Amino acid sequence: MPTTSKAKSTTKKRRKPQKKLVIVESPAKAKTIEKYLGRTFKVMPSLGHVRDLPKSSMGVDTEHDYDPHYISIRGKGDVIKGLRAEAKKAKAVYLASDPDREGESIAWHLAHVLNLDVTDKNRVTFNEITKDAVKEAFKTPRTIDMNLVDAQQARRILDRLVGYSISPLLWKKVKKGLSAGRVQSIALSLIIEREKEIKAFIPEEYWTIEADFKKARHTFGASFYGLNGKKASLKDNTAVQEVLGKLDKNGDFDITNVVRKERKRSPQPPFTTSSMQQDANRKLNFRTRKTMMAAQQLYEGINLGKEGTQGLITYMRTDSTRISSIAKHEASTFIHEKYGAEYAATKPIKGKLPEGAQDAHEAIRPTSVFRTPASLKERLNKDQFRLYQLIWNRFVASQMTNALMDTMAVTLEQNGVTFRSNGSKMKFEGFLKIYKDNKEKDNLLPELSIGDQVNLAKTDPAQHFTQPPARYSEANLIKALEENGVGRPSTYAPTLDTIQRRYYVKLVGRRFEPTELGEIVDGIINEYFPDVVNVDFTANLEHELDGIEEGQQDWVKVIDTFYKPFSTEVAHAEDAIEKIQIRDEPAGFDCDICGAPMVIKMGRYGKFYACSRFPDCRNTKPIVKEIGVTCPVCHKGEVIERKSKKNRIFYGCSRYPDCDFVSWDKPVGRDCPKDGHYLVAKKIRGGVQIVCPNGDYEEAPQK
């Protein structure tokens, strides 16, 4: 019987097909894009920048054309190693970081780290993260735009030269840990100038006279306007009494003029970065950082179930109000279907670009207007939903027609005394139909004509005093920076964050107040570095930096023009500034460890109690504020005001940790009449309201 031998397998192991590598900034963005591109692509995140100037030194050679010395960012070693390994075996490498200066810079640094040719067409950008937009972008890759890279590099180097020149001076002369920068110094200066205006303000007395008039069964209000047909102000009660003395309370007032008009109210253009930050601050009470975090999540993609992961808004760092023709057409279709043809604008409003705006990207808008906020509510968290609703409403409204109101202005006279009354009635809602909380209420007047007479029902004189200018909120400050041409869309959030972290300013009731430390730093910069806080100088510098992006300016020349006189100011300040001693205030009690007097010191997060023998004795205590309410849990301690790590005020028991009572809302020292739970003062829009946390009881709101 013949023997058989096993034949050795000669089948070669198949090599895995090479994939194309795509590098983006974040894991969320990578996950979304990889689903769109399919199996032949691998998408990896760089987790932001991979190279930067060193933290330990200036990192800029001021003697040789401001040559920057870039190093790999500490902690990014494993990321870079992983990217290099994948790039070596990839069929092609694409750099798909965000479509702005910062994104272009990240792509350029990645090209250097991965030894890619910067002249290759390996740069891919898209304004929205949707399947169609991403696939379309990969059809037309381009080379890295060195104008954008130089523009970002110039800003980075300029900020480093300013920060690393002034900050060591502040450490030496004032206190360690301080910093100064181009935009943050302007922001601080604006806040302090406003505080000076408030302190210098002298209130002036003035009076108003409101009156009620009757015609048949209708009662309507009017305000004092003037005497003998001319506008007049009422400076004191004497002037008020003179006016009231002229009136015949039993006599009639003549209607001497009636003006009827149609008033148009136009929608606002779609959001730019700054207008989104301002609106979110005003309407949603969002801090700027919170707004940008939620916007980033909406841009990078949300899992919508059957639809998969979709980017819900366009790129959120933009200074443009421009809208693509595709988006306009989609919005028009939606408005026609949902509201009717009369609500769709034939020529939607166009926003005016602020000075220095690059208009590089579209405005912030939903990637599909058919994804209404209501349809996404179950897929978004609370912050994402509220911001998406704000963006969606603003965009759709911008593509709708004007609201129309019929207005009526009536002039009433008797014995040379003139009152005026204004009424309005909604004629056509237009874009206001999109806003469910529309507060445009009709103010109806009775049918009046010239020659009619009405009866005076009552007068109500009131004393007032002029008010000082309000302190800046985050929204107001961003608006002021933008109007002055200082900073750009990507800089507002970190600027506001920095001046608070350095304790130059504090937020009190959502308004910025400068601290003693902030005033000291601002005083030094104003005296020794006037150009840094000169709004016109900084705005002009921003304009020149924008010129680099457009290829009209050489970045080395722009920096050199600034740095040469600035370096002379630094040398002068080094010798001229005397060391400033921030004296410790006596606390009024002794250390419970060593018996030495306690003092009040200034720290990173504000003032605190510390032993005067520091560093020999390191005893410290927080400065707490009693609110005059006994703890509702243990009934032994006092309720005190404290601050969380995020600087948010909360209330706790002075006997902590023996008593663990804690509340975000302020206890008022009374119990609920229904269930006996302690009552709290809850902040609401426009005031506070006493409520039971269990929801069983609430009192009328207080202003």
Side-chain angles (χ1 to χ4, degrees), residues 227-284:
L227 297 168
N228 302 316
K230 293 183 179 179
K231 189 173 177 63
S233 59
L234 302 170
K235 293 185 177 180
D236 50 36
N237 191 31
T238 304
V240 172
Q241 295 308 318
E242 284 180 13
V243 170
L244 295 178
K246 292 176 181 287
L247 298 180
D248 178 2
K249 293 186 179 179
N250 297 318
D252 292 332
F253 268 70
D254 296 321
I255 305 296
T256 58
N257 196 20
V258 177
V259 178
R260 290 180 172 85
K261 287 183 179 179
E262 183 183 84
R263 181 164 64 90
K264 292 180 183 179
R265 183 175 165 192
S266 300
Q268 293 176 299
F271 281 133
T272 62
T273 302
S274 86
S275 60
M276 177 182 71
Q277 291 170 346
Q278 291 170 51
D279 240 32
N281 183 247
R282 279 192 292 261
K283 295 178 180 177
L284 308 180

Side-chain angles (χ1 to χ4, degrees), residues 9-55:
S9 176
T10 57
T11 308
K12 286 186 179 180
K13 197 175 181 181
R14 280 188 182 179
R15 290 180 64 186
K16 286 185 179 179
Q18 285 182 304
K19 290 190 175 185
K20 297 171 184 176
L21 176 65
V22 180
I23 304 174
V24 297
E25 298 96 330
S26 73
K29 189 175 173 182
K31 192 176 177 182
T32 305
I33 290 169
E34 193 164 62
K35 287 179 181 177
Y36 296 157
L37 295 176
R39 296 179 188 175
T40 57
F41 286 85
K42 179 165 187 174
V43 186
M44 293 180 70
S46 68
L47 305 179
H49 276 279
V50 291
R51 293 199 312 170
D52 197 6
L53 298 171
K55 287 186 176 181

Side-chain angles (χ1 to χ4, degrees), residues 122 158 175 191 259 290 300 318 340 345 366 375 434 450 493 516 527 610 699:
N122 54 17
L158 202 54
K175 185 176 176 288
I191 292 166
V259 178
K290 185 178 183 177
E300 290 185 342
T318 177
S375 71
I434 209 79
I450 295 173
E516 179 189 356
E527 184 174 351
E699 296 179 4

Side-chain angles (χ1 to χ4, degrees), residues 405-453:
M405 276 161 278
D406 286 328
T407 64
M408 184 176 173
V410 179
T411 304
L412 308 91
E413 290 188 7
Q414 184 200 76
N415 300 332
V417 179
T418 304
F419 279 78
R420 283 191 175 176
S421 180
N422 293 299
S424 63
K425 182 182 179 182
M426 183 68 71
K427 184 178 181 180
F428 176 67
E429 279 185 300
F431 76 94
L432 291 175
K433 196 169 182 67
I434 209 79
Y435 295 103
K436 291 177 182 177
D437 59 346
N438 173 28
K439 294 177 182 176
E440 286 283 343
K441 292 182 179 178
D442 290 343
N443 176 27
L444 299 175
L445 296 180
E447 190 59 39
L448 296 168
S449 303
I450 295 173
D452 287 353
Q453 292 187 321

